[in-house]
Amino acid sequence: MITAGNKVAPQILRFDRNLHGRDFAVGDIHACFSALQTALNSIGFSPATDRLFCAGDLVDRGSGSHLVIDWLDKPWFFSTRGNHEELVCEYALMKPHAWPKQLHPDHAWLLDMPDRELSCIAQRLPALPLAIEVETSGGPVGLVHGDFPGDDWRVIDMPLTEDEIEGCL
Ligand SMILES: [Mn+2]
């Protein structure tokens, strides 16, 4: 990570134009992966040529949080990091015995996760980028989960303060 003073260069994942298929974007999936799959089927999504970009908050609330790594492994699925990924990582990085006695119901699914899968989550979710930029025929499209700092997408390439980064999540 590149730092300048107390600012940090955000991680951005950039994608070239998809010349062979379609690109789709989706917001907070919140563990509703089966509803997402139904939606993809209904638009004839082609895993061979199409891509799906998610603006983060993949986990919690719905019933499919345990499938998050399976989805991140799909070669056509990409996501930015949301505040729920941040929260879940904090837990996944701790030993379960250090968790609060009353986990928020959003995170109760973590109690059923084997250690091996928790450590996978602890590795994979923090590696998700803060921002995704996708080149399209109409110019670049940017995705962040939360508030974008400023009116000009190009600021995403400049070092951001911790508060600005937090705002993006
Ligand atoms: Mn959120």
Side-chain angles (χ1 to χ4, degrees):
M1 203 175 266
I2 304 158
T3 58
N6 59 346
K7 293 190 171 195
V8 176
Q11 313 121 275
I12 309 177
L13 205 53
R14 287 196 155 85
F15 293 84
D16 288 336
R17 264 183 75 182
N18 184 351
L19 300 173
H20 306 288
R22 301 170 295 169
D23 286 335
F24 298 94
V26 64
D28 309 41
I29 296 167
H30 276 305
C32 295
F33 291 112
S34 67
L36 176 62
Q37 187 60 64
T38 303
L40 292 177
N41 295 346
S42 76
I43 56 169
F45 186 87
S46 164
T49 55
D50 296 341
R51 303 183 295 194
L52 178 62
F53 298 95
C54 179
D57 275 7
L58 303 168
V59 293
D60 295 341
R61 301 192 181 148
S63 60
S65 289
H66 60 289
L67 300 172
V68 64
I69 300 299
D70 293 349
W71 276 76
L72 289 175
D73 281 341
K74 295 181 191 297
W76 44 264
F77 180 75
F78 308 94
S79 183
T80 64
R81 202 160 81 240
N83 57 311
H84 280 259
E85 278 70 59
E86 290 287 290
L87 284 165
V88 160
C89 272
E90 278 179 35
Y91 287 127
L93 286 166
M94 292 179 206
K95 293 282 174 229
H97 67 77
W99 293 351
K101 278 206 177 64
Q102 292 288 320
L103 265 193
H104 188 281
D106 274 359
H107 308 307
W109 63 277
L110 287 167
L111 296 166
D112 298 325
M113 299 299 280
D115 282 354
R116 187 172 31 83
E117 292 194 36
L118 284 176
S119 57
C120 188
I121 284 168
Q123 281 185 348
R124 297 287 297 277
L125 298 193
L128 295 175
L130 189 76
I132 284 179
E133 185 181 285
V134 186
E135 203 53 58
T136 73
S137 56
V141 172
L143 284 89
V144 294
H145 177 70
D147 286 328
F148 181 70
D151 299 326
D152 184 347
W153 176 251
R154 284 169 293 184
V155 306
I156 202 73
D157 277 319
M158 298 175 201
L160 303 178
T161 65
E162 264 178 49
D163 282 352
E164 286 168 333
I165 288 190
E166 191 108 326
C168 287
L169 294 169

